[in-house]
Amino acid sequence: MSSLVRHRRWAVPTLAGALILASFATARLGAPTAADVLMVAAAVVAGAGIVRNAVRALLARVIGIDLLVSVAAIGAVVIGEHWEAAAVTSLFAVGHALEDATLTRTRSALAELVAVAPQVAVVLRDGEQVEVPAGAVGLGETVLVKAGASVPVDGEVLAGSGALDESSITGESVAVEKVAGDRVFAGTVSRGGLLQVRATGVGAETTLARIIRRVEEAQDAKAPTQAFMDRFSRWYTPAILVLAVVAGAVTGQVELALTLLVIGCPGALVISIPVAVVAGIGRGARDGVLIKGGEHLETAARVDVVALDKTGTLTRGRPRLTDVVVLADRADRAEVLTWAARAEAASEHPLARPVLEAAAAEGIDPGALPDDVVTVPGRGVVAHLGGRRVVVGTLALLDAPDDGAAAHVERLAAAGRTPMVVAVDGRVLGVLAVADEVRADAAHAVRRLHAAGVRTVMLTGDAERVAAAVAAQVGVDDVRAGLLPEDKLDAVRELQRAGHVVAMVGDGVNDAPALATADVGVAMGAAGTAVAIETADVALMADHLERLPHGLRLAARTVRVMRQNIAIALVTVGVLLAGVLLGGVTMAIGMLVHEASVLVVIANAMRLSRGDVPRVPQTPALTHPRDRDLRAEIVS
């Protein structure tokens, strides 16, 4: 299919070129009339589509480039300048084919995404492996993903293990290890192992399908600069027509007027913006940075302040136990952790999970569930176990203050950790501390933002001391802690009133108002998050903050290319017009230079496709066993 499209694209320029060569050969053989007929035929073949487009534009009350070329070519035929007519229309046809080919190439990211979309799926139905079209898989069905196969659906791993190449979704080149409970995305490729996946998203509802839709819409959306150029062309094209008529009337040279029409074609100007926008957005898509459209791309290039949520953005959003301080005589680490785990086993306390995970990692079994558990919001939990009263939480939950525990609580809090006192029947056994791990790439990402002249601000609902400790670790410029969602919104508005262009980065529902108000809302780790992909101005598909400075840098590069292209196009037109008026530039020469400027603009935009993608250091996925037990179970 693509080969057929390419052939059609070049059919007209090829046929016109053959007719021109035949005309020259016929003239050398002494048949001038036949040579003229062939040259006119070349002009008709190359110019028919141009005239057709000009008529359609006029019917829509638009005076465009095609009209200028059509008038010039028809006029050249009328005054007997057959070669000029054929040269102008053929060069224009070649330029159009090149533009079409280049835009197709710049959309390669979209083509790559479409190409990785799986066509078939192996579904387990009644114990049998059934191959069906990927779109025919039902929600909740179990899909089998073998080594080397593409994952046909979004889903959750039910059994097995394997390494998946998720570069089509997140831009990451390193395969990711998947085990039971992990999420997988359609279009990713198994590099080893065997997985049973329960389908949670199929067909048009997969993450890959959403990304394809987003890239299509973004590449077609006009940037503000492009909209301005459209308005500019509305008066520029009629102005060239008037100039040509006036020049022809004053000098009496029809050929001069026709040449001015051809030279004044702003072809390079028209393509200068869209080719850069398409290339920039396409490159971002390949790198795992989805940009909603040209408007947001231009805004991202002007960002000078980045507001960052803490939990899930600067940190991993998964607290872990960092400290176990033993305070009671004849108590040990295992005893403190055991009582804490037993109290937390049936609680809804937000810090219960890291305590239970740490206990499990150390081989501690919490045993029977508590008789009752009371969660005290903002303080901790109180549990009763076999007549014993167990407290896990703040000092305020204790029956009597404990100065020894208070000193450790103060020290741990100052270090940016959340302390929890563990007491049994009023006797303090020890203090636990939980902290959210800072992302490995957070400090480097912040340094890169600073190097680009971008100021960073942390907006978080966490406590002041915890926020300050994280801020010191990653190097953000300003910290605003203890904020509610509306406070984050007010902070963003305050920065905007101070004249800043603000990008807000977050991953939670509580960030939504600030994300919507910021000049650029950036969703963190958006893979598989339908709302983020559809609504965010910029979506970082991988869960890596390093992609943020990369995306802003890409936006700035794209805007620079747009400005360079505009300058190239305007200078070329200006020089050619001066050359025509001063003499020495013919219609064919002018068209040749004009098409050369189009090629320069295209080549300049294609530079956006080059450059390295930042890679976050990762542990390479392990080579997986072939899951013999699982395979045997499936085969049987």
Side-chain angles (χ1 to χ4, degrees):
M1 187 63 161
S2 60
S3 176
L4 179 61
V5 171
R6 285 196 297 270
H7 289 158
R8 286 178 179 175
R9 179 187 298 144
W10 291 103
V12 169
T14 301
L15 179 56
L19 289 170
I20 290 174
L21 292 175
S23 175
F24 285 140
T26 304
R28 291 291 296 270
L29 294 174
T33 302
D36 287 343
V37 170
L38 288 172
M39 198 64 80
V40 171
V44 170
V45 168
I50 301 171
V51 172
R52 188 163 52 248
N53 290 337
V55 171
R56 288 173 180 168
L58 280 175
L59 293 175
R61 297 182 180 181
V62 175
I63 300 176
I65 299 172
D66 295 290
L67 179 62
L68 299 183
V69 176
S70 299
V71 172
I74 293 171
V77 171
V78 170
I79 65 175
E81 297 290 345
H82 303 142
W83 154 242
E84 299 285 3
V88 167
T89 52
S90 297
L91 283 169
F92 192 81
V94 169
H96 180 73
L98 285 170
E99 292 170 16
D100 184 50
T102 305
L103 282 172
T104 299
R105 183 179 173 188
T106 57
R107 292 180 185 270
S108 60
L110 182 59
E112 291 169 8
L113 288 172
V114 173
V116 301
Q119 302 300 313
V120 297
V122 177
V123 185
L124 295 178
R125 291 177 178 172
D126 299 325
E128 299 289 333
Q129 297 184 32
V130 182
E131 188 172 287
V132 300
V137 178
L139 289 175
E141 285 198 290
T142 300
V143 176
L144 188 64
V145 181
K146 303 177 182 179
S150 292
V151 180
V153 297
D154 282 2
E156 179 183 344
V157 178
L158 294 177
S161 64
L164 294 186
D165 177 356
E166 297 185 332
S167 58
S168 59
I169 302 296
T170 66
E172 287 298 325
S173 61
V174 179
V176 180
E177 196 175 352
K178 298 292 183 179
V179 295
D182 288 342
R183 298 188 65 183
V184 298
F185 307 113
T188 56
V189 180
S190 173
R191 297 304 184 199
L194 182 65
L195 298 173
Q196 286 191 47
V197 176
R198 179 175 62 84
T200 59
V202 298
E205 298 308 313
T206 64
T207 297
L208 178 64
R210 293 189 185 98
I211 293 174
I212 291 173
R213 284 200 303 271
R214 166 54 62 82
V215 176
E216 285 178 334
E217 294 166 358
Q219 290 186 333
D220 290 336
K222 290 187 177 181
T225 303
Q226 184 180 350
F228 169 77
M229 297 310 301
D230 289 344
R231 293 193 299 271
F232 171 77
S233 65
R234 290 175 189 170
W235 62 264
Y236 173 83
T237 303
I240 291 295
L241 284 170
V242 172
L243 175 63
V245 171
V246 172
V250 171
T251 63
Q253 299 180 33
V254 177
E255 186 175 351
L256 173 63
L258 296 176
T259 302
L260 283 173
L261 287 178
V262 171
I263 300 305
C265 291
L269 193 62
V270 169
I271 198 175
S272 61
I273 308 301
V275 73
V277 169
V278 168
I281 289 176
R283 174 56 195 265
R286 283 199 300 275
D287 296 348
V289 181
L290 288 187
I291 303 174
K292 190 172 185 178
E295 176 183 356
H296 301 290
L297 187 146
E298 286 198 37
T299 303
R302 296 186 291 109
V303 166
D304 61 353
V305 172
V306 171
L308 299 151
D309 177 44
K310 182 184 76 67
T311 305
T313 301
L314 290 172
T315 64
R316 295 190 178 279
R318 189 180 179 86
R320 62 185 180 85
L321 189 70
T322 58
D323 299 85
V324 178
V325 180
V326 181
L327 297 179
D329 295 334
R330 296 187 300 279
D332 58 18
R333 175 188 175 92
E335 184 179 358
V336 175
L337 196 51
T338 298
W339 281 110
R342 293 187 67 186
E344 296 281 16
S347 81
E348 297 178 355
H349 187 219
L351 297 181
R353 186 178 65 184
V355 173
L356 293 171
E357 288 178 347
E362 297 188 20
I364 296 173
D365 182 6
L369 294 177
D371 300 324
D372 68 85
V373 178
V374 177
T375 300
V376 183
R379 294 189 176 185
V381 298
V382 178
H384 290 89
L385 296 133
R388 312 283 301 269
R389 183 176 184 269
V390 184
V391 172
V392 181
T394 65
L395 286 168
L397 279 179
L398 298 180
D399 296 327
D402 186 295
D403 294 336
H408 288 287
V409 166
E410 183 70 21
R411 175 180 61 82
L412 293 169
R417 300 163 190 169
T418 302
M420 296 182 291
V421 178
V422 180
V424 179
D425 292 334
R427 174 173 171 254
V428 175
L429 297 183
V431 180
L432 306 181
V434 173
D436 193 358
E437 186 179 0
V438 175
R439 293 183 181 276
D441 62 335
H444 186 232
V446 170
R447 284 196 298 272
R448 288 191 63 197
L449 289 171
H450 290 163
V454 177
R455 180 186 169 204
T456 53
V457 180
M458 180 198 294
L459 305 180
T460 178
D462 214 333
E464 180 72 38
R465 284 184 296 188
V466 174
V470 173
Q473 191 172 344
V474 301
V476 297
D477 300 308
D478 187 14
V479 180
R480 305 187 187 188
L483 303 181
L484 297 173
E486 54 267 30
D487 298 325
K488 293 184 179 183
L489 172 63
D490 292 338
V492 169
R493 286 176 174 168
E494 178 186 330
L495 290 167
Q496 290 173 325
R497 285 195 296 270
H500 296 292
V501 179
V502 182
M504 174 68 194
V505 188
D507 72 332
V509 175
N510 62 332
D511 301 320
L515 285 168
T517 302
D519 297 286
V520 179
V522 183
M524 180 81 172
T529 307
V531 174
I533 293 175
E534 298 294 341
T535 62
D537 301 330
V538 176
L540 307 181
M541 302 308 297
D543 207 20
H544 298 312
L545 192 60
E546 183 69 29
R547 293 300 168 84
L548 176 61
H550 175 67
L552 296 182
R553 180 171 175 268
L554 176 63
R557 284 182 59 205
T558 304
V559 170
R560 281 199 302 272
V561 166
M562 288 163 55
R563 291 170 179 167
Q564 292 165 1
N565 283 352
I566 292 172
I568 292 168
L570 291 176
V571 168
T572 301
V573 171
V575 170
L576 287 177
L577 287 175
V580 172
L581 295 175
L582 297 175
V585 176
T586 64
M587 186 185 300
I589 292 175
M591 197 64 190
L592 184 61
V593 173
H594 173 269
E595 292 303 329
S597 71
V598 170
L599 292 178
V600 171
V601 162
I602 289 173
N604 192 39
M606 293 302 291
R607 293 190 300 115
L608 293 168
S609 299
R610 298 196 299 269
D612 295 330
V613 186
R615 298 296 179 193
V616 179
Q618 296 184 25
T619 302
L622 300 176
T623 302
H624 293 278
R626 295 302 177 184
D627 302 300
R628 295 183 182 87
D629 294 340
L630 175 62
R631 188 182 299 278
E633 176 186 337
I634 294 170
V635 171
S636 63

